[in-house]
Every structure is written in C-alpha cells, then in structure tokens.
C-alpha cells in the first residue's frame, strides 16, 4: 500500500494571480499553435479537401472514367468551404499542443496516483479517435458512397437520367459529421473504464445492461449517421465490440479499487 509520502502532490502553493497568469500562458500557447496550424491547413486546404473527397472521386472515376465533377452554387461557397477545411485540420493538428498544455496546468494539483490513473486514458483517447476516423474514411465512406450512387439512373434506361453533382460544402459537412461521429463514439471504452475506475459503474452492471446497450448503440448509430444501413451498422458493430472491450478493461481496473478500499 502506498504511503502518504509516496502519493504526494508535486505542486507548490501559488497565489491566485500566479495561477491565472499560468493559465493565460497555457491558453496563449494553445491559441498560437491553433493559429499556426490553421494557416498551414488553409495553405493546403485544396489538397486536404482532395484527400477528403478521394473516396467519392475514386468511385466516380471507376464508373465514368473521370468525367464527373463537384459544384458550388453560391459565389462564396468554395471560400468558406476551404475555411472549414482549414479549421477542421487545425483542430486535429493542434490537439496535441492544447491537450499537453491542459495536462501541464492541472497535473501539478493531482496526486501521483491520480496522475498514473489518468495518464492511460489521456493517451488512449486520441488513439481511439483516430481509429474511429480511419474506420469511417477507409471503410464506411467507400461502402456508403457506392450505395448512394447506385440510385443514379443512367441515360437510356427508359427515363430521364439522374446523376449526382455533389456540392462541395454539403459533401464536406457530411464527411466532417461522419468523422466526428465515429471519433467521438470510439471514446466509449475510455468513458466506461474511467467511470468504472471511480465507481460510477460496475462490471456486473455493464454485463447486466449489455442487451440494452446494444439496442442503444443501434439507436445512436441511426441518429448520428446518414440514413443508410451501411453507415448505421458500420458504427453500431464497432461500438458493440468496444463495449465488450470496456467490460474487460473495467474488470481490470475495478479489483484494484476494491483492494484499496479494503486496505
């Protein structure tokens, strides 16, 4: 069992004004990193948008040999679309900086045991977010876009042709929504394991509520994804797997808490 000396706080007493000055410094570093990342992403906004549009472009190229296009209908639409692309990219690129600054601000006020308990969750959270975003981009997008494009009506099919001419702003909004939805949904193991660590939920409770959780995951997937079965199942199935992983992780952290309570 750790002694009070071993589980001490490394912080030293500071006046309120010094805490506020430190907070200002952390915020300025975070803001500076975000502005630099925003400028960089805006410079490469066309390339970033091309990367986001590649799953759709590849499918259209297969079907028509590159004779397809994307459009914008408002004079300012393309400009604001690239601003959104830059903002979206800057959030991703600057996340390590402002997450580090947040940790450096709150870590001195935590016990060493609390730091050890929180650090794995802080490291796992961005990794899971990237995994969720990658699943959406590399697996869900090609399947979902191919499903939607299958409803086109080619010329000579006995009716007027129906062909996709996607708007750049609408496509970007859909892609950003999907990436954020999958990335945030993949935080499920972090949230459940952390709640098990502090005693809000238990392993027995997670197992008992498994059937309700599965139904809830399909409902959540239906709400936050486009109205197609591919996206909904593509999000719900990984969430179910992550829920099972959360039960295993909760079982790993819960005994330690129980032992500490008995000691």
């Amino acid at each position: 069992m750790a002694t009070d000396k071993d589980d001490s706080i490394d912080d030293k007493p500071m006046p309120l004004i010094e805490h506020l000055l430190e907070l200002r410094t952390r915020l300025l570093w975070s803001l500076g990193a975000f502005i630099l990342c925003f400028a960089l992403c805006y410079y490469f906004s066309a390339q970033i948008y091309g990367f986001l549009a590649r799953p759709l472009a590849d499918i259209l190229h297969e079907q028509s040999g590159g004779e397809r296009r994307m459009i914008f209908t408002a004079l300012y639409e393309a400009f604001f679309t690239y601003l959104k692309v830059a903002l979206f990219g800057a959030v991703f690129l600057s996340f390590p900086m402002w997450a580090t600054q947040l940790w450096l601000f709150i870590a001195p006020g935590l016990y060493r045991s609390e730091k050890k308990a929180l650090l794995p969750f802080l490291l796992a959270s961005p990794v899971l977010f990237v995994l969720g975003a990658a699943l959406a981009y590399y697996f869900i997008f090609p399947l979902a876009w191919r499903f939607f494009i299958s409803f086109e009506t080619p010329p000579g099919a006995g009716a007027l042709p129906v062909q996709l001419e996607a708007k750049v702003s609408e496509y970007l909004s859909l892609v950003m929504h999907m990436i954020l939805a999958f990335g945030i949904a993949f935080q499920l193991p972090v949230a459940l394991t952390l709640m098990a660590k502090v005693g809000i939920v238990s392993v027995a409770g997670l197992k008992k509520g498994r059937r309700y959780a599965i139904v809830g995951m399909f409902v959540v997937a239906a709400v936050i994804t486009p109205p197609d079965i591919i996206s909904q199942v593509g999000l719900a199935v990984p969430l179910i797997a992550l829920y099972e992983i959360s039960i295993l992780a909760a079982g790993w952290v819960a005994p330690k808490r129980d032992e500490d309570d008995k000691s």
Side-chain angles (χ1 to χ4, degrees):
M1 177 178 178
T3 62
D4 294 339
K5 184 177 179 180
D6 296 332
D7 197 24
S8 61
I9 297 178
D10 298 328
D11 193 17
K12 58 182 179 179
M14 294 174 58
L16 176 61
I17 188 66
E18 292 189 22
H19 280 292
L20 294 177
L21 290 175
E22 182 185 1
L23 177 61
R24 185 189 67 174
T25 301
R26 302 299 180 194
L27 291 175
L28 287 176
W29 275 103
S30 301
L31 180 61
F34 176 80
I35 292 175
L36 288 176
C37 292
F38 180 83
L40 180 65
C41 290
Y42 184 76
Y43 182 79
F44 293 102
S45 57
Q47 290 81 356
I48 297 174
Y49 188 86
F51 173 77
L52 296 176
R54 183 169 298 278
L56 177 62
D58 290 342
I59 296 173
L60 295 178
H61 181 75
E62 291 176 5
Q63 295 186 352
S64 59
E67 298 297 329
R68 303 295 289 271
R69 63 178 182 173
M70 299 184 73
I71 65 172
F72 62 93
T73 56
L75 190 62
Y76 52 82
E77 183 177 343
F79 170 70
F80 281 106
T81 298
Y82 287 138
L83 284 181
K84 291 179 181 179
V85 168
L87 179 64
F88 189 63
V91 171
F92 270 90
L93 290 182
S94 62
F95 173 80
M97 172 59 75
W98 52 264
T100 301
Q101 295 300 317
L102 177 62
W103 174 253
L104 291 175
F105 181 73
I106 65 173
L110 299 176
Y111 289 99
R112 293 181 183 177
S113 60
E114 293 173 334
K115 293 179 185 178
K116 293 180 180 179
L118 287 176
L119 191 57
F121 297 101
L122 295 176
L123 296 176
S125 182
V127 173
L128 288 172
F129 188 94
V130 172
L131 288 177
L135 175 67
Y137 181 86
Y138 290 105
F139 181 71
I140 300 300
F141 287 176
L143 294 178
W145 298 173
R146 198 177 298 275
F147 170 76
F148 289 133
I149 294 175
S150 67
F151 291 95
E152 287 187 330
T153 302
L160 292 176
V162 177
Q163 190 176 56
L164 171 70
E165 288 193 351
K167 292 180 61 177
V168 292
S169 60
E170 292 179 352
Y171 178 80
L172 178 64
S173 297
L174 176 61
V175 167
M176 290 172 57
H177 175 82
M178 292 280 286
I179 289 177
L180 290 175
F182 275 75
I184 294 174
F186 267 56
Q187 303 303 307
L188 180 66
V190 173
L192 291 181
T193 307
L194 185 59
M195 287 191 290
K197 180 73 175 178
V198 300
I200 298 177
V201 298
S202 64
V203 177
L206 292 176
K207 292 180 178 179
K208 185 178 181 180
R210 180 184 282 116
R211 67 182 68 180
Y212 304 105
I214 293 175
V215 174
M217 289 169 191
F218 276 98
V219 172
V220 170
V223 171
I224 65 178
T225 59
D228 67 286
I229 191 65
I230 297 175
S231 301
Q232 294 171 9
V233 175
L235 179 58
V237 171
L239 282 180
I240 295 173
L242 291 173
Y243 186 84
E244 298 298 328
I245 294 175
S246 301
I247 295 177
L248 296 176
W252 180 72
V253 300
K256 180 181 293 187
R257 177 179 176 85
D258 293 338
E259 293 172 6
D260 291 340
D261 292 339
K262 293 177 182 179
S263 58

